[in-house]
């Protein structure tokens, strides 16, 4: 039995902290360093890059990071695994080899491909989410650097862990444990105090990046390098576990991890053990993502200052609609939103202003271009008093749409391209299991009746939210058994929809995770056609959880 794999993360998205790779390589011992560069929006960006130049389609910053870090990784014996290949993993692998030759660093490079699907009409990119077996094969063949296209975020950890410990494809519990560790690591500093609901008690100005010590049975310890900022505790790990997940079954291409079996315990300062994770055979199909151009979009933000804000907003709406009618072309979708950021008797002009946001969409660029910008600019001297905009309106820009789909394992040619050029086909799973909801667990006894106080939910509960296509996810957790006994009875779907007005006409599903003292809500359709379409003020629902925490309800005084 080998010692635990020590695996770190140096990127949670394309554009994350540039010097994180160097910090992780020099901050302490590692066996493998991973980087997650891909997201739904990123695939669209890379697709547009490749339209301009077929040689592109990968995360260019990865090569720039390697330029200053490849020698250090080689000297310290750290393998690097990243999904920065995006739509062109073979091209990025060639780029790494060229860089290594230029630097005089003798590294062996492998890559994983086969995720690309045949795009349909109007589709920029179509990709299946692969697992970690191709990564494991490249590492077993001696690769020092492995780059992939679209794999699951957790595959960046499951692949190295399976290689390190020699796990077979049906060691589901071990693989599921690695999936959970990978999900904690994938978003970088979100596991070490970044974007954390209870940030006030710690110095999180520059959180260190996380790492995991993964044992042969799949259990792990989440930690970070000594002396780095932020913190790792059960709360930060819980917050990331809830991020962009749904029910108790967390499905992947190689294993379905049961999130309702996860047990967290603190092992001292900045060390949290994850154990008890159970795994099941994966579903019979793979998740796939389709990125396409959805149309054209433009935005104008009017500033309304001082008195009569509602009347001023009504005037400019009417004038703009009249301008559309006179132009003979109204955009297919016109959306107005008034944000009352103004204060009465304000001491500064900025705090006396409200923002009226106009967003338009249409299949044709002309309908959101001159028609909209002309309507806004021509009102400059003939509208409400104090008329001005936050910025001059532009000509409009294309927006993207992400669609989730499912494809059969046999429709995907998962291939590991080994350092010597050999191509190794990764077989589909021998067993699969249909994905079904878990029966809700029995509710704990409610707290005894007692005095309550009207107060924000966030005084007792943390939350983290995010996006999955057009759906939003909100995870809510508490830090004591008594608080859990209250939360699970108080925050029902009906109460959630009462607090979050936008969700009232949508389907909301609640999932219980008692081991984590957590509820996970999925709000179907809240984000329209996904982040790239920018359908709402917060297009990725990043702050939806904080909005929920700010809402007031009756909370037992014993918890406050």
């Amino acid at each position: 039995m080998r010692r635990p794999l020590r695996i770190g993360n140096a990127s949670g998205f394309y554009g994350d902290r540039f010097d994180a790779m160097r910090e992780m390589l020099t901050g302490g011992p590692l066996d493998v360093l991973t980087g997650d560069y891909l997201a739904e929006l990123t695939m669209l960006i890379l697709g547009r890059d490749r339209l301009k130049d077929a040689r592109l389609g990968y995360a260019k910053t990865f090569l720039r990071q390697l330029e200053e870090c490849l020698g250090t990784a080689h000297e310290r014996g750290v393998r690097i695994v990243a999904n920065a290949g995006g739509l062109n993993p073979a091209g990025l692998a060639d780029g790494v080899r060229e860089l290594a030759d230029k630097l005089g660093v003798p590294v062996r490079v492998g890559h994983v491909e086969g995720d690309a699907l045949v795009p349909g009409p109007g589709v920029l990119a179509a990709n299946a989410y692969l697992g970690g077996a191709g990564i494991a094969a490249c590492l077993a063949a001696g690769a020092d650097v492995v780059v992939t296209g679209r794999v699951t975020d957790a595959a960046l950890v499951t692949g190295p862990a399976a290689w390190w410990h020699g796990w077979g494809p049906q060691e589901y519990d071990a693989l599921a444990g690695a999936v959970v560790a990978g999900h904690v690591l994938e978003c970088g500093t979100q596991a070490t105090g970044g974007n954390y609901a209870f940030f006030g008690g710690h110095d999180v100005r520059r959180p260190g990046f996380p790492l995991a010590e993964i044992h042969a049975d799949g259990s792990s310890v989440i930690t970070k390098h000594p002396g780095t900022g932020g913190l790792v505790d059960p709360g930060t790990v819980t917050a990331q576990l809830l991020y962009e997940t749904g029910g108790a079954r967390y499905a992947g291409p190689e294993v379905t991890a049961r999130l309702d079996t996860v047990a967290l315990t603190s092992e001292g300062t900045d060390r949290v053990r994850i154990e008890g994770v159970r795994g099941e055979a994966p579903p019979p199909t793979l998740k796939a993502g389709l990125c396409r151009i959805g149309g054209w979009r433009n935005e104008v933000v009017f500033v309304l200052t001082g008195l009569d804000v509602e009347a001023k907003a009504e005037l400019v709406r009417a004038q703009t609609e009249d301008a559309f009618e006179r132009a003979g072309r109204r955009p297919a979708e016109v959306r107005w939103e008034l944000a009352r950021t103004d204060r009465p008797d304000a001491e500064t002009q900025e705090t006396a202003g409200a923002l009226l946001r106009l967003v338009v969409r249409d299949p044709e660029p002309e309908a959101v271009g001159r028609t909209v910008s002309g309507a806004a600019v021509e009102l400059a001297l003939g509208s409400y008093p104090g008329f001005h905009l936050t910025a001059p309106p532009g000509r409009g820009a294309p927006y993207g749409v992400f669609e989730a789909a499912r494809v059969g394992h046999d429709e995907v040619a998962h291939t590991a391209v080994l350092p010597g050029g050999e191509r190794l086909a990764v077989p589909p799973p021998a067993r699969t299991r249909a994905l079904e909801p878990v029966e809700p667990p029995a509710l704990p006894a409610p707290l005894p009746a007692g005095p309550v106080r009207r107060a924000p939910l966030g005084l007792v509960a943390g939350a983290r939210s995010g996006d999955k296509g057009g759906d939003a996810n909100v995870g809510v957790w508490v830090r004591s058994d008594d608080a859990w006994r209250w939360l699970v009875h108080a925050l029902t779907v009906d109460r959630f929809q009462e607090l979050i007005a936008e969700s009232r006409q949508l389907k909301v599903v609640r999932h219980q995770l008692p081991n984590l003292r957590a509820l996970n809500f999925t709000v179907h359709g809240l984000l329209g056609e996904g982040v790239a379409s920018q359908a709402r003020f917060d297009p990725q629902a990043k702050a939806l959880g904080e909005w929920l925490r700010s809402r007031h309800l009756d909370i037992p005084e014993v918890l406050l």
Side-chain angles (χ1 to χ4, degrees):
M1 183 181 294
R2 299 188 74 176
R3 64 172 174 81
L5 169 70
R6 196 168 166 91
I7 183 167
N9 169 280
S11 175
F13 67 100
Y14 189 12
D16 208 345
R17 210 159 79 206
F18 185 86
D19 56 5
M21 184 180 289
R22 176 176 49 79
E23 289 178 5
M24 289 299 289
L25 288 170
T26 60
L30 285 177
D31 301 304
V32 177
L33 182 61
T34 67
D36 182 6
Y37 293 79
L38 300 184
E40 295 168 2
L41 180 60
T42 313
M43 298 300 280
L44 179 72
I45 293 169
L46 296 179
R48 291 173 64 180
D49 282 351
R50 207 168 190 199
L51 281 179
K52 300 171 186 174
D53 186 340
R55 296 169 298 179
L56 299 179
Y58 54 79
K60 298 184 287 292
T61 53
F62 176 70
L63 282 177
R64 297 204 301 272
Q65 289 173 301
L66 279 188
E67 190 164 8
E68 65 174 60
C69 293
L70 193 59
T72 302
H74 178 68
E75 291 167 5
R76 294 175 176 246
V78 180
R79 315 259 185 142
I80 294 178
V81 178
N83 61 11
L87 303 179
N88 189 9
L92 179 57
D94 287 340
V96 175
R97 293 186 190 98
E98 292 171 9
L99 176 64
D101 289 343
K102 184 178 77 171
L103 297 175
V105 180
V107 299
R108 307 187 74 203
V109 183
H111 75 273
V112 178
E113 58 185 41
D115 58 297
L117 306 172
V118 177
V123 176
L124 278 179
N127 300 82
Y129 287 68
L130 305 180
I135 296 170
C138 288
L139 292 171
D144 303 295
V145 178
V146 182
V147 295
T148 77
R150 180 71 277 190
V151 297
T152 65
D153 299 340
L156 300 174
V157 171
T158 62
W163 157 70
W164 185 265
H165 291 298
W167 296 334
Q170 294 186 34
E171 294 190 50
Y172 295 134
D173 289 350
L175 287 167
V179 164
V180 170
H183 182 61
V184 174
L185 296 189
E186 70 184 50
C187 289
T189 56
Q190 280 198 166
T192 57
N195 300 352
Y196 184 47
F198 302 112
F199 66 93
H202 309 274
D203 184 355
V204 294
R205 289 174 294 177
R206 187 177 172 85
F209 276 70
L211 61 93
E213 300 164 358
I214 301 181
H215 294 254
D217 63 354
S219 64
S220 63
V221 173
I222 305 299
T223 184
K224 61 187 183 70
H225 283 323
T228 56
L231 77 153
V232 177
D233 70 6
T236 66
V237 174
T238 297
Q240 178 55 27
L241 279 174
L242 297 174
Y243 182 63
E244 296 181 348
T245 59
R249 285 192 165 100
Y250 186 61
E254 294 162 318
V255 65
T256 294
R258 290 289 298 263
L259 298 183
D260 55 343
T261 63
V262 175
L264 304 180
T265 54
S266 176
E267 285 202 341
T269 303
D270 293 324
R271 291 181 63 84
V272 173
R273 175 169 290 279
I274 301 175
E275 57 191 347
V277 185
R278 299 293 304 276
E280 300 170 344
T285 57
L286 295 169
K287 178 183 175 181
L290 312 179
C291 297
R292 61 180 174 84
I293 299 296
W296 293 77
R297 177 187 183 279
N298 206 350
E299 177 176 329
V300 183
V301 180
F302 302 85
V303 182
L304 315 174
T305 306
L307 305 177
D308 306 318
V309 165
E310 299 284 350
K312 290 170 180 173
E314 183 56 37
L315 172 60
V316 77
R317 285 193 195 103
Q319 289 178 307
T320 304
E321 293 289 353
D322 180 65
F324 290 159
E325 184 177 341
R326 291 177 182 276
R329 182 68 185 270
R330 188 180 191 272
E333 180 183 343
V334 177
R335 179 169 176 165
W336 294 92
E337 187 166 353
L338 176 60
R340 294 300 302 266
T341 55
D342 56 304
R343 303 175 194 170
D345 194 21
E347 293 189 1
T348 66
Q349 181 174 328
E350 188 169 356
T351 56
L355 301 177
L356 177 64
R357 183 169 174 252
L358 166 65
V359 177
V360 296
R361 292 183 181 80
D362 197 275
E364 300 298 328
E366 295 81 5
V368 303
R370 175 62 185 167
T371 299
V372 174
S373 61
V377 170
E378 290 169 7
L379 291 176
L381 301 180
S383 187
Y384 60 86
F387 179 100
H388 67 284
L389 311 174
T390 56
R395 295 178 297 177
Y399 68 88
V401 171
F402 176 87
E403 298 175 10
R406 306 292 301 189
V407 298
H409 288 272
D410 57 354
E411 297 178 56
V412 175
H414 187 176
T415 304
V417 183
L418 307 181
E422 304 93 338
R423 300 178 64 84
L424 180 65
V426 177
R431 293 173 51 199
T432 61
R433 173 176 176 164
L435 197 63
E436 297 174 341
V438 172
E439 192 70 24
L443 298 181
L447 278 184
V452 298
R453 187 191 316 163
R454 195 77 176 169
L457 174 63
L459 293 185
V460 295
R464 179 165 285 163
S465 55
D467 65 305
K468 280 295 180 186
D471 301 338
N473 146 254
V474 187
V476 185
W477 80 96
V478 288
R479 297 180 285 185
S480 72
D481 290 339
D482 281 349
W484 169 243
R485 291 171 61 191
W486 169 76
L487 180 75
V488 73
H489 289 280
L491 195 56
T492 61
V493 168
D494 287 344
R495 179 62 56 83
F496 181 95
Q497 292 181 303
E498 176 187 322
L499 298 173
I500 303 298
E502 285 181 88
S503 71
R504 291 174 189 167
Q505 304 304 315
L506 302 172
K507 179 183 178 182
V508 177
V509 179
R510 186 180 93 150
H511 307 281
Q512 300 174 41
L513 298 170
N515 281 9
L516 301 176
R517 302 191 193 99
L519 300 173
N520 221 353
F521 293 88
T522 301
V523 186
H524 292 271
L526 181 72
L527 306 179
E529 295 178 298
V531 53
S533 69
Q534 298 185 49
R536 66 192 295 273
F537 174 66
D538 175 16
Q540 289 182 278
K542 295 290 190 183
L544 184 61
E546 286 302 292
W547 178 24
L548 178 65
R549 292 182 69 234
S550 74
R551 298 307 312 271
H552 289 223
L553 65 169
D554 293 332
I555 300 176
E557 287 190 355
V558 67
L559 300 181
L560 297 171

